[in-house]
Structure formats: structure tokens, C-alpha cells
Amino acid sequence: MTPRRQSSRAPVTSPAVATVFTTVLTQGPVSRVDVARRTGLSSAAVTKAARPLIEAGYLIERDSEQSGIGRPVSPLEVRADREFFLGVKVTDRELIGVVTDLRARMLVTKFRPLPSRKPDAVVDGIAEMVTALLAESKAYKQRTHCLGVTVAGDVDRDTGHVRYSPFLHWRDVALGGLLAEKIDLEITVDNDVKAITVAERWFGDGVGANSFALVTLGTGIGCGLVVNGGVVAGSHGVAGEIGHIPVFGDGPVCHCGATGCVEAIASTDAIVAQARTATGEAGLTMAEIVTGARLGDTALRKVFARAGVAIGRGLASVANLVGPERIIVSGEGLDAYDLFADEIRETFATQAFGAAAQCELILRPLPFEEWARGAAAIAVQTLFLS
């Protein structure tokens, strides 16, 4: 994280304040009594923690309402437009940027082509994107202090250092520091899947779950983990790398150097490569491969079936090791889900041990702008990590 502009910060000065704020943010409107019940804090502690947030305009009290017998209650609610947040997702071809409110609701979305993957070009592109997003409203310029930027790969969030990004072909890029030289905002750089996991935990299908996993299928295969209510980063920042679990001993070599990884068999690029080999048609596109498989091409259907087995084994490994309440499966790879759905579910049911097989699988598309929303969600998170 690269600290920059610090004015007008949310007064999150203690763990109790952070707990009350996050509870109202993710579950509000909610009464003080319910906040106390859900968090284990005393009613007095909740009232004390809420007071500075109300005074600073981050929380508001709704009109009193009767709730059973007793005094009327005044539910607490987040004032969503108190502050705005920027999120930028870096892909190998384009930048996706959003402005969100405090609830990570997208207000503006922009797409910009990326002419070069070189770090300087990416930094310049992000700076231009930030300028364009802020120009959309005077309120955005006045009340935006935090920017989240995400990339695929191995990222040290604490320093903003990208250790390895396979799709950008980066190694050891100090992205956070380079951005801080051009952008006067508080900047957080993180792995894209972990950022999406933060968004799910606070604003999506992860709300209310003590533990869950988010698995993304597409150009890469990623996984974010939440255990005991917190996103797991791991000692070295690479926890949850389901894409690099070996699932086929005789599988192809992965870009990471290992053999038989889930990503080497079931990512979009891997499926395309295997389909071209299986058919002998070197120019096949993913769209053509999907169409051919749906029309019954046996060789292409075998490629998807093998991918489904690989994904199912990876999901079962997550269920066996972590025991999440649910696994959310998303990403652009779901566009072809009908071609490997049976293999995923059958393999998962076979490989998941005992009660782990009862883990709920939630399937949901992931529009590309949602990646940028995840970046904005980690910017929101900085309010609680000061």
C-alpha cells in the first residue's frame, strides 16, 4: 500500500470502530442492538464506536421505527456517497476503470486499450484513466482519496510490488511506487482474484459466510479464500493458487514451470492449444472451438471434458483442504460451462472427501467491469487498514 492523500479520512481509530463500520457497511441498515448481537460488542461499545462515524458523515441514522415491544430503534446505515473510490484492472490488452461509492456500486465504467505491456506505458495509462474518471464529476474530484489497482499474478500488497505477472510478462515491477510518482491518491496494488474476493466478502455471495472460496475460470484460473471471516493472503502472498495445483501427472508443462497444473489444462489458452492439436487446425479460435464442441465434434468435446475433470479436481482440493461453506465459480470461462459442467460436478463429488462434498457450488458470470469493481473494493478496504 502506498499512502498518499490522507485528508478527510474515515475515523476508524480502533478495532471496535472498524467492526461496527464493516457490519453496517455489509449488513445495514441495522440497529445498534443487532450490531451488538452480531459482533459480540456491548451496546455501549457500539454507540461509542458509531458516534465519530456519524459525526464524520460516514454513517447516518434512519428515522426511528418500532420493532416489537420497547423503544423505537434508529437503524444505522452507510452514507454511500460520503466518499468515492477508483478501481483499475490491468489486463494484457486493456485497462478497465470504475468509480464506485462506499458500497462498491459502480457509478462510471471506462475501457481503454493498452498499447504496450511495458510498465511505464501501463503506469501512464492508469494515470490517464484516473484523470478521466475523476473528470466525470466535481464530487469525484473532491471526495475521492483511494485507488485500487489489480493485476493477475504474484503481488505483494504491502509494498505494491508485482513479483510475477504471467500475462503482462512482468517480473519484479514496483508498480505501487511508479504509480505514486504520478497519482496523488492513496494507492493499493493487489492480485486481481484476491480483490474480487474482498468484493464478494463484503458486497456479494460471500456476505454472511464465515468461509468461502472464489474460483475464476478464464485466461488464468485463480482462487481467493476467506477463512474465519478474513481473506487469506498466505505468508508469501500466494495462498489459494488453485490454478497451479497439479491434477494430471502426464499433463502439459505450465507457464509456471510445473507439469499438469489445472491452468495448463483448463485455462482458455490451454483449451485452445489442446483443441488445435487435437484437430490439426492451427488457426482455431476459442469461439470456433466452443461452437464445434456444441455441434458434437468428438475431439473438441474431449478437450472440454478433460478440462472439466481438471477443474473438478482443483475444486475438490480446495474443499478438502479448507472446508469452505460455499465455492463461487465465476469468470469468462463460464461461457462454455455447459461443455464441462457434468465433468466438474461428477469429479468434485468423487474427489471431495466425506462431508466436504456438501460444499455449495455457486455458478455466476463475471463481466469484465466486475474485475475493476474488485479493485475499488480494496480501495474501500483501506479505510479499515489505516
Side-chain angles (χ1 to χ4, degrees):
M1 184 184 301
T2 305
R4 299 286 283 171
R5 193 191 300 185
Q6 291 285 341
S7 61
S8 188
R9 293 292 308 215
V12 181
T13 55
S14 71
V17 176
T19 298
V20 170
F21 198 178
T22 53
T23 301
V24 179
L25 177 67
T26 60
Q27 302 175 40
V30 60
S31 70
R32 288 175 173 82
V33 172
D34 282 339
V35 172
R37 178 176 56 80
R38 297 175 192 183
T39 64
L41 295 170
S42 68
S43 295
V46 171
T47 297
K48 180 179 178 181
R51 186 176 299 117
L53 294 168
I54 294 171
E55 292 172 352
Y58 283 88
L59 297 185
I60 57 175
E61 294 181 283
R62 297 182 63 173
D63 293 339
S64 298
E65 57 187 45
Q66 192 70 39
S67 179
I69 299 173
R71 295 184 301 174
V73 297
S74 299
L76 296 172
E77 185 175 20
V78 165
R79 181 186 160 198
D81 63 352
R82 172 60 177 81
E83 189 165 339
F84 301 102
F85 301 84
L86 304 186
V88 177
K89 156 68 174 169
V90 182
T91 78
D92 60 342
R93 297 182 181 87
E94 67 178 348
L95 300 175
I96 309 163
V98 297
V99 180
T100 76
D101 64 13
L102 190 47
R103 290 188 179 276
R105 292 179 296 203
M106 291 183 286
L107 306 172
V108 177
T109 303
K110 289 184 180 293
F111 296 81
R112 283 178 174 258
L114 198 59
S116 170
R117 298 172 185 157
K118 292 182 179 180
D120 287 347
V122 173
V123 169
D124 287 343
I126 294 172
E128 292 168 3
M129 173 70 82
V130 166
T131 298
L133 290 170
L134 293 178
E136 289 288 320
S137 167
K138 184 182 293 186
Y140 299 160
K141 290 182 179 180
Q142 294 172 342
R143 299 203 297 274
T144 299
H145 307 284
C146 302
L147 163 68
V149 177
T150 61
V151 301
D154 180 2
V155 182
D156 184 338
R157 173 171 170 153
D158 290 337
T159 64
H161 195 83
V162 180
R163 290 182 286 237
Y164 172 54
S165 182
F167 310 117
L168 293 172
H169 305 295
W170 284 3
R171 287 191 183 273
D172 297 320
V173 175
L175 182 59
L178 294 172
L179 290 170
E181 294 175 2
K182 291 181 175 282
I183 301 171
D184 185 26
L185 295 171
E186 185 169 348
I187 301 165
T188 304
V189 180
D190 205 351
N191 169 270
D192 54 357
V193 178
K194 287 186 174 64
I196 285 280
T197 306
V198 170
E200 286 297 323
R201 176 195 169 204
W202 283 1
F203 309 109
D205 286 323
V207 173
N210 191 50
S211 64
F212 71 91
L214 171 73
V215 175
T216 57
L217 309 178
T219 305
I221 295 181
C223 178
L225 297 172
V226 169
V227 177
N228 294 329
V231 178
V232 178
S235 297
H236 305 288
V238 291
E241 288 292 343
I242 185 178
H244 300 288
I245 294 176
V247 290
F248 278 101
D250 60 346
V253 175
C254 182
H255 63 78
C256 73
T259 300
C261 296
V262 176
E263 194 165 295
I265 298 161
S267 68
T268 301
D269 289 348
I271 289 173
V272 169
Q274 293 169 88
R276 289 173 176 175
T277 299
T279 62
E281 297 182 40
L284 277 179
T285 65
M286 186 62 177
E288 291 169 338
I289 293 165
V290 170
T291 298
R294 285 177 175 153
L295 291 174
D297 186 298
T298 302
L300 295 179
R301 292 194 70 87
K302 286 182 178 179
V303 170
F304 281 105
R306 190 165 187 247
V309 171
I311 295 166
R313 288 177 178 176
L315 296 178
S317 296
V318 171
N320 291 342
L321 288 170
V322 182
E325 296 175 36
R326 64 193 67 146
I327 297 177
I328 305 162
V329 183
S330 195
E332 66 272 21
L334 276 188
D335 291 344
Y337 183 74
D338 57 298
L339 296 171
F340 46 52
D342 291 343
E343 287 78 10
I344 289 177
R345 291 192 178 277
E346 290 170 7
T347 303
F348 178 79
T350 301
Q351 297 290 323
F353 177 74
Q358 298 174 18
C359 175
E360 180 185 13
L361 295 182
I362 298 175
L363 308 174
R364 198 191 62 214
L366 185 68
F368 269 108
E369 56 267 30
E370 287 289 329
W371 289 101
R373 179 176 180 256
I378 63 171
V380 174
Q381 194 181 37
T382 62
L383 296 182
F384 308 91
L385 300 177
S386 303

